[in-house]
Amino acid sequence: MTPPVPTLLVLDADPPPRLGRLTGRARIVHTDAAGLASRLPSADVLLVWDFASHAVREAWPGEGPRPRWVHTASAGVDHLMCPELVASDTVVTNARGVFDAPVAEYVAALVLAIAKDLPRTLALQREGTWLHRETRPVAGTRACVVGTGPIGRAIARTLKALGVTTALVGRVPHTGIHGPDDLDRLMSRADWVIAAAPLTDRTRGMFDTHRFGVMQPSACFINVGRGQLVDEEALVRALTRRWIAAAALDVLATEPLPADSPLWSVPNLLISPHMSGDTIGRRDELGSQFVELFERWAAGRSLPNVVDKKRGYVPGH
């Protein structure tokens, strides 16, 4: 007897994923956030293509069966997690590996832009003003990267190529990795503090008044992890009082950032719209990654990128 074709439910975003390779191998059902709750009980697999949506966290606690496997087309999984999903037998996987190089390149671009005063150069060009000035060297500086997953390690490798000495800080210390007890000391010596950690109960709000207070006045802070890692009011104080020299936020506590947010006008703060990992061709790569994982799942093979739902990330480093 032929086994039934599994139902794949896709929480869509525009443009939708290319899943042609699964034709005839899965019954593919597309839904938006409003229709998710009613369709979850009939799904074997859920693909969260709309990685910015919190619809899964809101719909999951409902009645009826739930998918055996949930995959999110993102590195972070905090937008999915609710107590009912954590307690369930459902396997959760993420897009680990897709965003490493793009995010690392973006961080390097921010470091160079800040060190070489490029935002001011562009502003002066728009004004038609010729103002010669000296800029900061990058080679020979120090960076502290908080987060030791593939993205954090890729950032460290890329900065090393620029001549930056980099220390990695993770949840637990081991060879080549510093633990949380070393964070204040490393931040106090760093020219660049880069947040690339997952959002968990332990990391939420970890960059606060105390942490910005231990940084050097010449240091710069960059966040490409999650917006909620940062106490944004504390960061604003640190910048306006010149406790630190500059900051760049690619992720924020509220996204999209409202047009009337005071963050837009904070001095020496660069804001970008959560785009550090988004390169041309990314969607095709994410779709191909999911298809490969689906083929493994359908064949009964073990899945990579399995998230520890209680920790909120893929264990390993």
Side-chain angles (χ1 to χ4, degrees):
M1 181 176 178
T2 304
V5 174
T7 296
L8 166 60
L9 180 62
V10 182
L11 178 59
D12 263 336
D14 189 35
R18 297 181 180 181
L19 301 174
R21 281 168 53 189
L22 299 183
T23 301
R25 302 162 66 185
R27 175 177 173 264
I28 302 175
V29 178
H30 295 266
T31 186
D32 58 12
L36 180 63
S38 63
R39 290 179 170 86
L40 275 177
S42 61
D44 298 295
V45 179
L46 172 62
L47 168 58
V48 184
W49 191 247
D50 185 357
F51 62 85
S53 173
H54 292 89
V56 175
R57 191 165 61 194
E58 296 163 1
W60 195 271
E63 297 182 358
R66 289 295 179 262
R68 292 173 282 161
W69 169 35
V70 173
H71 177 79
T72 178
S74 62
V77 297
D78 49 277
H79 60 295
L80 305 178
M81 292 304 177
C82 61
E84 292 81 2
L85 176 54
V86 172
S88 73
D89 294 331
T90 297
V91 174
V92 175
T93 57
N94 72 353
R96 181 182 173 105
V98 173
F99 302 102
D100 308 355
V103 174
E105 291 168 356
Y106 200 87
V107 168
L110 289 172
V111 166
L112 290 168
I114 293 170
K116 301 308 175 185
D117 203 20
L118 294 185
R120 192 178 182 201
T121 295
L122 294 173
L124 290 170
Q125 179 178 343
R126 286 191 293 268
E127 297 171 3
T129 300
W130 180 280
L131 180 63
H132 180 271
R133 59 216 189 274
E134 295 178 340
T135 62
R136 299 173 59 180
V138 172
T141 60
R142 296 173 180 267
C144 173
V145 178
V146 183
T148 57
I151 291 175
R153 298 197 304 276
I155 291 170
R157 290 193 300 271
T158 303
L159 292 181
K160 182 179 179 181
L162 295 175
V164 180
T165 300
T166 305
L168 281 163
V169 180
R171 188 176 63 90
V172 293
H174 54 89
T175 304
I177 304 293
H178 296 269
D181 291 345
D182 293 330
L183 181 57
D184 285 359
R185 175 178 61 83
L186 293 170
M187 285 182 62
S188 70
R189 301 170 59 193
D191 301 286
W192 315 97
V193 175
I194 298 151
L199 180 62
T200 68
D201 290 340
R202 296 178 64 172
T203 62
R204 188 181 303 273
M206 67 182 297
F207 295 100
D208 54 12
T209 299
H210 167 73
R211 290 270 157 71
F212 293 125
V214 303
M215 292 174 63
Q216 302 180 79
S218 60
C220 303
F221 175 77
I222 296 172
N223 186 13
V224 290
R226 283 292 178 268
Q228 293 85 353
L229 299 176
V230 179
D231 179 339
E232 290 177 350
E233 292 184 1
L235 176 60
V236 169
R237 286 194 299 271
L239 288 167
T240 55
R241 297 176 184 179
R242 299 184 180 180
W243 295 353
I244 62 175
L249 301 178
D250 184 57
V251 287
L252 295 111
T254 300
E255 297 181 4
L257 186 65
D260 60 354
S261 170
L263 288 174
W264 291 113
S265 57
V266 174
N268 299 315
L269 174 60
L270 292 176
I271 293 175
S272 55
H274 203 149
M275 59 183 283
S276 62
D278 298 344
T279 51
I280 296 169
R282 166 187 59 94
R283 291 182 178 86
D284 289 341
E285 188 174 357
L286 289 168
S288 295
Q289 181 190 53
F290 173 73
V291 169
E292 292 172 5
L293 291 178
F294 186 93
E295 291 171 343
R296 293 179 64 98
W297 177 83
R301 299 165 60 195
S302 62
L303 290 171
N305 294 7
V306 174
V307 173
D308 182 321
K309 294 184 290 185
K310 292 183 178 179
R311 293 184 183 180
Y313 56 88
V314 178
H317 292 276

